[in-house]
Amino acid sequence: MIDPGIALETTLRDRVVPEQGRIPAFIFSDPTIYRVELERIFQRVWLFVAHVSEVPQRGDYVKRNMGEQTVIVAHGEDDMVRVFLNYCRHRGMELCRSELGNTSHFRCPYHGFTYSYTGALTGVPFQREAYVEGLERSALSLVEARVEMYQGLIFATWTLDGPSLHEYLGDIAWYLDVLVGRAEMEVVGPPQRWRVPTGWKLPSENFCSDAYHTAHTHASIVKLDLITGGTSFGASGYHVHSQNGHGLGLGTQAGADPPYPPEMRAEFEQRLSAPQLALLDRLKNLHGNVFPNLSFLIPTAIHLEGREVWSTTLRLWQPRSVDSTEVVSWCLVEKNAPDWWKRLSRQSYIETFGISGMFEQDDTENWESMTRNSRGALSRNGETDLNYTMGIGRAPMQDFAGPGVVYDGKYSEENARRFYRTWLDYMVAGS
Ligand code: FES
Ligand code: FE
């Protein structure tokens, strides 16, 4: 347990030993740890905020979160996408209340300060009478985050002088090309949102690393005959991890037609390298996580109207409190795909990993239970540290066509160990 007399960093260094597969359960429910995560992780790293197709027109905006703080992602009149803290510089009111819209300016609901698409303070009601000595408007622009984009994914960070987004993504960028860069992608409507009574780490880690649970947790999907191949559908393939705690699992299959419309192939060929296209052609499923909380997924295809159909999803595990996470979940489709594919791909998303999807329900139950159990007294004294040793000692492959550290087979917790190593490094940085 966390001893109030010992520095948090000392406790963490002592108790969290990812390389030995030792993770204490208290990190999933301790309020102090959660507050430190918001400061040392969510205020430092690149965070996904929106897909570019959510703000296609000048004036479009969406309201999002970076950590617990809300931000405005705005497509300006100059075609720049900017991200502002949703915080009026007068008295801290939330400027923007609606989730999305189109506007030429943001006006504060409290006293009416008005900001332009560049974040400049352009309007102050009754300024001459109210500020007789003048008001330095230029010092009161909205607080702006640093923004970069990769394959239509808009990321923002409060760290103005850290690594570029591309440097931060590292080797996982190659796999994001396959996920969302294979074609021009667009979101299917606004994201679905729901709350899960768990912290943000368990689901992020699950998508990053855990193919092992699929055989048991998701066995019902096989019993319902929604997918073929038995309960070992999560076993074959590869695990990949890259710098900065990012990780993914690739399920592969040989000898089956890939479940995408043949009409799309020309665009895929244009945008992907030959090894990326070869991977897409034998892909069965793909799951992963960009540290800290952007997960992505192409679930195993399901039968719909006599076809095998898969979907592409992104989701943020948005921290709300130490044991509450808002899931923000997008379905993406290829913009130039035929209508039947867009319709069925969306249906596939809804039935598998949408808010009421069958897989989704299975997973949520697990995270909720583990979070509840991590609060118990026994889980705080070291006897019930969690076991993350699966796959320790295995050697990575030398001949995989993609970058990163790659392991053959998906029953491994190496990606999770890398996730918690990164987490730990941020949590103790500077101490
Ligand atoms: Fe925004 Fe006063 S708090 S104008
Ligand atoms: Fe799952």
Side-chain angles (χ1 to χ4, degrees), residues 40 55 58 64 78 83 111 119 130 132 142 170 215 217 224 228 259-260 291 362 377 389 397 401 413 417:
R40 298 191 185 167
V55 287
R58 292 176 181 173
R64 289 292 144 75
D78 55 358
V83 175
H111 310 95
V132 287
L142 296 179
T217 289
L224 291 169
T228 52
Y260 59 72
F291 189 88
D362 299 336
T389 59
M397 296 174 69
E413 286 161 348
R417 290 189 287 275

Side-chain angles (χ1 to χ4, degrees), residues 206 213-214 217-218 353 359 363:
N206 175 276
H213 78 286
T214 55
T217 289
H218 300 305
F353 281 91
F359 282 82
D363 289 318

